[in-house]
Amino acid sequence: MNLRRIDRTEVNLMDFELSLKNKRVRIWLWMMIPALSIATALFLFIPKEHNYIGILPIIIGYFIYIGWVIAEKKKQR
């Protein structure tokens, strides 16, 4: 059985802190709360045939957040 030791640089989840002190958590909340509000409004006011449009703000907000995380990692290097 070949077990290898996991390096702290490989698994960065050990350092993740789920609080508002963490910049990633703040940015995620800043992006996703308005996206969820817009999505809810779209689900409520758009006809049922076009309800799939309501998920777009959530998807767009998520991809913007992921883009920010990638850009932040590149900036730190």
Side-chain angles (χ1 to χ4, degrees):
M1 183 183 233
N2 188 6
L3 295 176
R4 68 183 180 97
R5 188 167 180 207
I6 297 176
D7 197 342
R8 284 189 72 98
T9 57
E10 284 184 51
V11 181
N12 204 6
L13 292 176
M14 294 176 192
D15 295 331
F16 187 77
E17 181 183 348
L18 188 61
S19 72
L20 291 178
K21 293 178 185 177
N22 189 342
K23 187 175 181 180
R24 286 189 182 182
V25 173
R26 286 194 317 259
I27 296 295
W28 188 86
L29 288 171
W30 184 80
M31 292 295 301
M32 296 311 287
I33 289 175
L36 288 171
S37 301
I38 293 169
T40 302
L42 287 174
F43 275 124
L44 291 174
F45 297 117
I46 288 182
K48 289 202 182 272
E49 306 87 47
H50 304 294
N51 260 353
Y52 62 89
I53 296 173
I55 198 75
L56 289 177
I58 296 171
I59 293 171
I60 292 169
Y62 178 74
F63 280 122
I64 291 172
Y65 171 74
I66 293 299
W68 175 82
V69 168
I70 292 170
E72 192 71 21
K73 281 185 179 180
K74 284 184 180 181
K75 190 170 70 171
Q76 286 179 356
R77 289 183 192 172

